[in-house]
Amino acid sequence: MAYNEPMLRDGALDGKTFIVTGGGTGLGKSMSKYFLELGANVVIASRKLAVLEETAHELGQAIGGRNIAGKILPIACDVRDYGAIEAMKDKTLAEFGQINGLLNNAAGNFISPTERLSHRAIDTIVDIVLKGTYYTTLALGKHWIEQKQPATVLSIVTTYASTGSGFVVPSAMAKSGVLTMTRSLAVEWAKYGIRFNAIAPGPFPTKGAWDRLFPVEAFPPHLRERFSDHGNVPIKRVGEHQELANLAAYLMSDFSSYINGEVITIDGGEWINGAGEFNHLNEIPSDMWDVIQAAIKSNTRAKKQ
Ligand code: HXC
Ligand code: NAP
């Protein structure tokens, strides 16, 4: 078995209905596809209905003939609009009868020096990422608690939700709020049978992220390699969508019932590469270490005398 093959057994999500925000494109689309393959019904929700409908058509075609496949339903919903979320919830219940899980995946982001941003630009990102996530979680949480329906909530954050990062400050502030919500409600709502976890992905190429975060053709030449794809990833590759889908399906499934309040990083070691004080010494060629070792020994001998 290879790392980028589907991991769970057929039917692992049979009988489940999940809502995936931002499910029409990128990582949300890949995770939705795998949930469907594993037997779940999936509602994909975002602002652009035409995009959602095209994805629903494509995913329906791809797996429609297989009896393990669940059904896909596209619903237009701006996650900043609480009324639209409630309407989406009602439409999902009318179609599938119950909701077993929520994947908070919708986001907005772009790189910029913070001092160049208007307050409206900051609001835009924070509202999609943080307000959108807590609105959706609250609307579904109230429903689950009232119906005594166990459920699971998975949120896609980023590694800089924990560390912070310059040049994506609105996203960093919002994602750390989502992570804090995850850890807080994991405790508060455990008594209702609602589980909360998060995934912090490293670079997984998507058009949405690459257009806005890695416009490397416009970067100075000496920065292009470092900021292209896997430039900061020790294992020297980007993530493949199926790897993320495998982890997400596991965390949405009952197999992960004892995991609650956790954030799982899947980044090939990227964030720790940036954090370790001496990690950049990787750039020293191995044959130079004889010279360096000799210098250290000479220094320490000199001190002893
Ligand atoms: C500075 C910008 C800007 C930019 C927009 N604005 N882009 N400011 N630099 N590049 C400002 C606008 O001028 C405006 O402020 C305000 O932000 C709102 O812009 P709109 O275009 O009106 O907003 P909207 O149409 O709602 O679009 C939202 C968006 C857009 C976030 C700007 O990019 C979008 O729809 N994104 C959704 C998909 C996405 O972002 N995917 C990437 C997720 S990747 P003013 O003051 O002029 O009114 C991700 C990965 C992280 O999160 C980790 C990777 C490793
Ligand atoms: P993407 O394709 O641009 O996905 C973002 C999605 O959010 C889009 O489908 C968009 O659809 C939706 N969205 C934006 N604003 C919305 C709103 N107000 N209401 C509802 N939906 C909205 O980018 P992606 O790379 O797949 O990102 C998916 C998730 O992974 C995000 O949470 C991102 O932060 C996270 N992530 C990605 C990476 C990576 O390397 N790709 C790394 C770390 C974390 P509409 O435009 O139709 O609304």
Side-chain angles (χ1 to χ4, degrees):
M1 282 288 175
Y3 68 87
N4 54 0
E5 287 178 29
M7 183 178 82
L8 293 184
R9 68 185 77 154
D10 286 356
L13 298 177
D14 269 353
K16 304 279 191 195
T17 295
F18 296 150
I19 291 174
V20 180
T21 65
T25 65
L27 301 181
K29 178 178 172 181
S30 298
M31 292 185 281
S32 297
K33 176 173 183 287
Y34 192 41
F35 298 164
L36 287 160
E37 287 173 357
L38 292 169
N41 300 315
V42 179
V43 170
I44 52 173
S46 74
R47 296 167 299 178
K48 300 185 190 107
L49 186 59
V51 173
L52 295 169
E53 283 175 337
E54 199 183 317
T55 295
H57 181 70
E58 185 192 324
L59 298 189
Q61 297 277 316
I63 51 184
R66 296 169 58 184
N67 59 8
I68 55 161
K71 289 187 186 145
I72 184 163
L73 176 67
I75 301 180
C77 175
D78 186 326
V79 293
R80 296 168 289 190
D81 178 348
Y82 196 82
I85 295 165
E86 293 218 294
M88 169 182 67
K89 177 199 72 182
D90 293 342
K91 216 170 162 185
T92 306
L93 290 170
E95 181 74 19
F96 298 119
Q98 60 177 16
I99 303 166
N100 306 93
L102 165 67
L103 175 52
N104 288 311
N105 167 78
N109 201 0
F110 50 76
I111 51 168
S112 174
T114 307
E115 68 276 15
R116 288 174 61 101
L117 297 174
S118 67
H119 66 281
R120 288 176 298 275
I122 297 177
D123 285 347
T124 299
I125 303 301
V126 173
D127 282 357
I128 299 170
V129 176
L130 181 57
K131 186 192 276 186
T133 299
Y134 69 69
Y135 270 13
T136 314
T137 304
L138 186 70
L140 289 172
K142 283 173 184 283
H143 161 75
W144 288 323
I145 291 165
E146 193 190 293
Q147 295 297 313
K148 299 189 170 36
Q149 164 79 58
T152 183
V153 178
L154 178 63
S155 297
I156 306 299
V157 294
T158 54
T159 53
Y160 58 67
S162 302
T163 62
S165 175
F167 302 94
V168 282
V169 168
S171 171
M173 293 191 293
K175 292 284 191 184
S176 67
V178 173
L179 183 52
T180 297
M181 182 200 79
T182 299
R183 290 172 167 150
S184 306
L185 287 178
V187 174
E188 191 184 327
W189 286 1
K191 60 182 176 285
Y192 302 121
I194 307 173
R195 216 155 48 84
F196 284 81
N197 288 297
I199 295 177
F204 283 75
T206 64
K207 181 164 171 41
W210 259 235
D211 283 355
R212 296 170 174 88
L213 299 166
F214 302 103
V216 287
E217 67 288 350
F219 282 8
H222 69 285
L223 288 180
R224 277 181 204 154
E225 193 182 337
R226 184 149 177 242
F227 285 96
S228 68
D229 285 348
H230 56 256
N232 289 322
V233 182
I235 67 170
K236 293 294 169 215
R237 69 169 176 85
V238 291
E240 291 195 31
H241 286 207
Q242 185 64 46
E243 293 179 272
L244 182 73
N246 284 341
L247 178 59
Y250 167 67
L251 289 172
M252 293 296 284
S253 79
D254 293 337
F255 290 118
S256 60
S257 294
Y258 205 49
I259 301 181
N260 187 31
E262 198 48 69
V263 55
I264 299 185
T265 298
I266 175 168
D267 75 341
E270 185 191 44
W271 91 261
I272 225 94
N273 186 30
E277 190 171 358
F278 291 98
N279 286 344
H280 52 282
L281 297 186
N282 248 330
E283 284 162 32
I284 294 181
S286 55
D287 56 4
M288 271 191 75
W289 279 104
D290 286 342
V291 178
I292 294 168
Q293 187 179 2
I296 294 169
K297 287 190 171 175
S298 156
N299 290 344
T300 50
R301 258 198 309 274
K303 282 230 173 80
K304 277 186 201 156
Q305 283 161 6

